[in-house]
């Protein structure tokens, strides 16, 4: 029953996005590759393009006590062929946890892990009604991103991204469908866990002037025990603003803030899920071509 509800939610999001797909003349000049904070667009860059990217993510607030977690990731992006983009990255994390129910107190800083992101664009907005790209993100982590415990964790994020300009050169809408399985072994205890998240995200950005876009993102996420979407352990809805600035011909900056407005967890009567998710999430992304 819980899986059916999740599938219906994802289907409803896809149906709502498809209603935006009215005919238009052609795509405008908005490049959606980097304009979103917590989402992705279908654009992948030009063949031969190379970029360095710094991505800083902060997560704040649990069900009690003090919770602060941050991740700094450095990435190199390449576009070796038409419709293909490859990204490799390495990340560091910092945690400050005190008095949070279910978490050991931590004050830690260290190397978190490495990742490889592969994207293939199936549909180009220049020639199709919508853009469509599949992203596969493989990660290895030695530090748990939530609890800061020592782990051996392997995860794969699958994201199907759709977007289109609803007003050419002015406004663009995007939809992401997400599935994230993860296998984790805790080093200190030997405990093994398997879990997965599914979700849908909708974003809209408007170009105020060339190179400056403002908008927002809404994300609905569900967390399950087991990679086959077994028992539902929590769900949350995040909404927040996003801003994109083209700093120069070679550099850019994206800033996004997201707040949990609704959620459900194992805690009876809860109106937020602060067990599986945080109260606030923020992201700052800087990139430069070279």
């Amino acid at each position: 029953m819980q899986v059916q509800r999740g599938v219906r939610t994802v289907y409803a999001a896809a149906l709502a996005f498809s209603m935006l797909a009215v005919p238009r003349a052609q795509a405008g000049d908005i490049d959606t590759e980097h304009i979103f904070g917590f989402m992705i667009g279908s654009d992948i860059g030009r063949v031969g393009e190379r970029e360095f990217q710094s991505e800083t993510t902060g997560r704040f607030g649990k069900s009690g006590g003090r919770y602060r977690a941050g991740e700094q990731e450095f990435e190199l992006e390449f576009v070796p062929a038409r419709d293909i983009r490859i990204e490799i990255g390495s990340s560091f994390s910092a945690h400050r946890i005190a008095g949070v129910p279910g978490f050991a107190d931590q004050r830690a800083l260290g190397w978190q892990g490495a990742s490889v992101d592969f994207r293939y664009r199936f549909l180009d907005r220049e020639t199709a009604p919508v853009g469509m790209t599949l992203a596969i993100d493989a990660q290895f982590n030695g530090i748990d991103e939530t609890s800061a415990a020592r782990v051996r964790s392997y995860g794969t994020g699958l994201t199907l991204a759709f977007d289109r300009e609803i007003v050419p050169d002015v406004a663009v809408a995007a939809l992401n469908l997400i599935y994230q399985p993860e296998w984790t072994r805790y080093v200190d205890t030997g405990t093994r866990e398997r879990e997965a998240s599914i979700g849908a995200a909708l974003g809209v950005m408007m170009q105020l002037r060339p190179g400056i876009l403002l908008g927002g993102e809404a994300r609905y996420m569900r967390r399950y025990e087991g990679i086959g979407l077994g028992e539902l352990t929590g769900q949350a809805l995040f909404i927040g603003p996003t801003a994109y600035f083209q700093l120069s011909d070679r550099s850019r900056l994206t800033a996004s803030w997201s707040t949990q407005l609704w959620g459900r967890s194992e805690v009876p009567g809860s109106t937020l899920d602060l067990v599986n998710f945080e109260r606030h999430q923020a992201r700052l992304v800087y990139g430069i071509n070279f």
Side-chain angles (χ1 to χ4, degrees):
M1 180 63 68
Q2 297 290 2
V3 174
Q4 291 177 347
R5 287 199 190 113
V7 172
R8 286 199 298 269
T9 299
V10 171
Y11 176 78
L15 180 62
F17 183 81
S18 68
M19 296 175 64
L20 298 174
V22 296
R24 60 174 172 78
Q26 64 181 57
D29 293 329
I30 299 178
D31 189 324
T32 63
E33 183 181 6
H34 298 296
I35 64 174
F36 297 101
F38 292 96
M39 299 175 56
I40 65 171
S42 71
D43 292 335
I44 61 171
R46 299 182 299 273
V47 175
E49 190 173 73
R50 298 175 301 173
E51 291 186 295
F52 168 79
Q53 179 170 286
S54 168
E55 181 177 288
T56 306
T57 303
R59 304 187 309 278
F60 316 98
K62 283 291 188 180
S63 55
R66 179 186 292 266
Y67 182 87
R68 302 287 187 271
E71 180 181 344
Q72 177 63 57
E73 186 167 11
F74 300 104
E75 303 161 337
L76 291 175
E77 302 174 2
F78 308 90
V79 185
R82 179 179 173 83
D83 298 326
I84 294 176
R85 198 197 82 168
I86 300 173
E87 174 187 293
I88 57 175
S90 181
S91 61
F92 299 83
S93 65
H95 291 79
R96 186 170 183 180
I97 306 172
V100 178
F103 288 80
D105 289 356
Q106 293 274 8
R107 191 167 185 174
L109 173 66
W111 180 72
Q112 179 166 311
S115 64
V116 177
D117 181 289
F118 174 83
R119 298 186 190 180
Y120 182 80
R121 182 173 59 186
F122 289 93
L123 297 175
D124 188 339
R125 288 181 297 114
E126 293 288 345
T127 56
V130 299
M132 183 178 73
T133 292
L134 174 66
I136 303 174
D137 180 19
Q139 298 182 349
F140 164 77
N141 289 328
I143 297 177
D144 184 71
E145 66 175 10
T146 302
S147 67
R150 294 191 304 147
V151 297
R152 294 294 180 267
S153 176
Y154 304 89
T156 301
L158 303 176
T159 302
L160 191 60
F162 303 87
D163 59 29
R164 69 174 284 111
E165 289 187 33
I166 51 179
V167 180
D169 296 331
V170 175
V172 61
L175 171 70
N176 286 183
L177 303 179
I178 305 160
Y179 171 57
Q180 299 171 329
E182 186 174 0
W183 297 260
T184 302
R185 181 178 69 85
Y186 290 86
V187 174
D188 294 336
T189 64
T191 304
R192 297 177 183 270
E193 290 184 355
R194 294 182 179 183
E195 60 181 9
S197 298
I198 63 169
L202 180 66
V204 177
M205 298 290 287
M206 297 187 64
Q207 186 165 231
L208 304 184
R209 55 180 297 184
I212 299 180
L213 292 90
L214 295 178
E217 303 173 41
R219 294 174 293 135
Y220 172 64
M221 299 298 298
R222 296 168 67 90
R223 185 73 57 82
Y224 293 87
E225 287 187 3
I227 62 173
L229 307 182
E231 180 181 353
L232 177 67
T233 59
Q235 54 188 314
L237 173 66
F238 290 88
I239 296 178
T242 298
Y244 172 85
F245 305 94
Q246 188 70 41
L247 302 179
S248 69
D249 291 340
R250 299 176 55 199
S251 61
R252 55 181 167 78
L253 183 70
T254 307
S256 188
W257 182 277
S258 199
T259 298
Q260 187 181 157
L261 295 186
W262 176 89
R264 285 285 188 274
S265 68
E266 300 171 340
V267 179
S270 61
T271 57
L272 297 174
D273 182 357
L274 299 179
V275 177
N276 297 284
F277 304 96
E278 297 79 31
R279 183 71 174 88
H280 302 283
Q281 298 177 349
R283 179 165 290 172
L284 186 67
V285 183
Y286 172 78
I288 184 169
N289 294 349
F290 64 94

